[in-house]
Each structure stands twice: as C-alpha cells, then as structure tokens.
Amino acid sequence: MNDLAADLDEDRRPRAPKHDPEALTPAQRQLGRHLIDVHDGYRQEMRQISAAVGQVAAGTLDPTALRSLVNQLSMRQNYWTLGAFCATFCRLVTVHHTIEDEHMFPAIGRVRAEVERLVAVLSSHFAYEEEELVEPIARLDLRI
C-alpha cells in the first residue's frame, strides 16, 4: 500500500477554494450530487469485481463467471460505448483531414494563385487609371 500512496501523492493534487454549499440552490446541489451518484455506482461495481476476483482466486467462482460479470458492468458498457464513439469520431476526423489535404488545400492553393494574379492585374489597372485619369478628371471637374 505504501507504493500506492506514493503513486497517488494526494498532497500534490491541485485544490480549488471551498465555498459554502448552502449558497447553492437545490438544483445546483443536485448537479454536484449527480457526480457522487455516478461515482457510487462505479464504486459498487469495483466492489463486485474485487469480490469476484477473490472468489476466483479462492476457487469458488469460475473465471468465465467473472468475465460475464465484468461484461455486464456499467463501466464496461460505457467503455464499449465510448470506444465506439471515439473510433467513429477519429474515423470522421481522419476522413475530414484527408478531404482537406487531397481536395480543399490544393484547390485553395489554386484559388490563392488566381487571387494573387487578379490582385496584380487590378493593382496594375488601378495604377494605370490613376496615372492617366486623375488629372483629366480633376481638370474637367468630373464627379465620379
């Protein structure tokens, strides 16, 4: 257990300042209580696993029964759900980035080159017009 205490090092965990729980509304307290309820469910499941592992070690429970128990626990079900979600999300992000890399960015590069060309042409045109037209417009008192 000493190694566990050293691994956890509770004294080095950051701590938020504590506030008076009575300053919270009942609805706010219930939100915080929900976290405790979820944790309590996981604690109960950990006790079940610990007891079952002890029974397997003592030879009073078949290891397949332990596997069946683990597969029915919320932690395991949540892992499966979260794992499926994460795998799907990662696949979608990969597809998104592949589309960007293979199609969008090259297209943006081509568009950027065209925009730069257009800017150069228009800048040249504006400079030409200013050189040729500013004086006549001013001299003729034209309102444009």
Side-chain angles (χ1 to χ4, degrees):
M1 262 317 194
N2 275 346
D3 290 336
L4 178 60
D7 288 343
L8 291 177
D9 199 2
E10 296 285 343
D11 293 334
R12 293 188 61 181
R13 287 186 173 180
R15 304 282 183 200
K18 301 301 179 225
H19 301 284
D20 180 13
E22 295 303 315
L24 300 173
T25 67
Q28 289 171 320
R29 284 194 296 275
Q30 181 57 36
L31 291 171
R33 179 67 205 169
H34 180 68
L35 177 66
I36 295 170
D37 292 342
V38 169
H39 287 173
D40 284 347
Y42 288 149
R43 287 183 190 100
Q44 174 59 32
E45 290 184 351
M46 287 187 291
R47 285 191 294 274
Q48 288 177 306
I49 291 171
S50 182
V53 166
Q55 291 172 358
V56 169
T60 59
L61 183 68
D62 182 34
T64 58
L66 173 60
R67 183 183 313 121
S68 178
L69 169 68
V70 168
N71 286 335
Q72 294 173 22
L73 297 177
S74 294
M75 285 189 289
R76 180 66 172 169
Q77 296 297 322
N78 289 344
Y79 176 76
W80 282 337
T81 301
L82 183 60
F85 170 77
C86 287
T88 300
F89 185 76
C90 286
R91 187 175 61 253
L92 291 173
V93 168
T94 298
V95 167
H96 170 82
H97 288 160
T98 300
I99 290 169
E100 285 179 340
D101 291 344
E102 293 179 0
H103 302 287
M104 291 176 63
F105 293 144
I108 289 170
R110 288 188 301 273
V111 168
R112 181 176 177 201
E114 289 297 315
V115 167
E116 288 174 358
R117 183 174 171 268
L118 179 61
V119 166
V121 168
L122 287 175
S123 295
S124 172
H125 179 77
F126 294 158
Y128 168 76
E129 282 188 348
E130 291 164 2
E131 182 182 322
E132 296 298 319
L133 298 176
V134 166
E135 189 274 327
I137 288 172
R139 186 173 30 85
L140 297 171
D141 196 27
L142 297 174
R143 309 276 182 230
I144 58 167

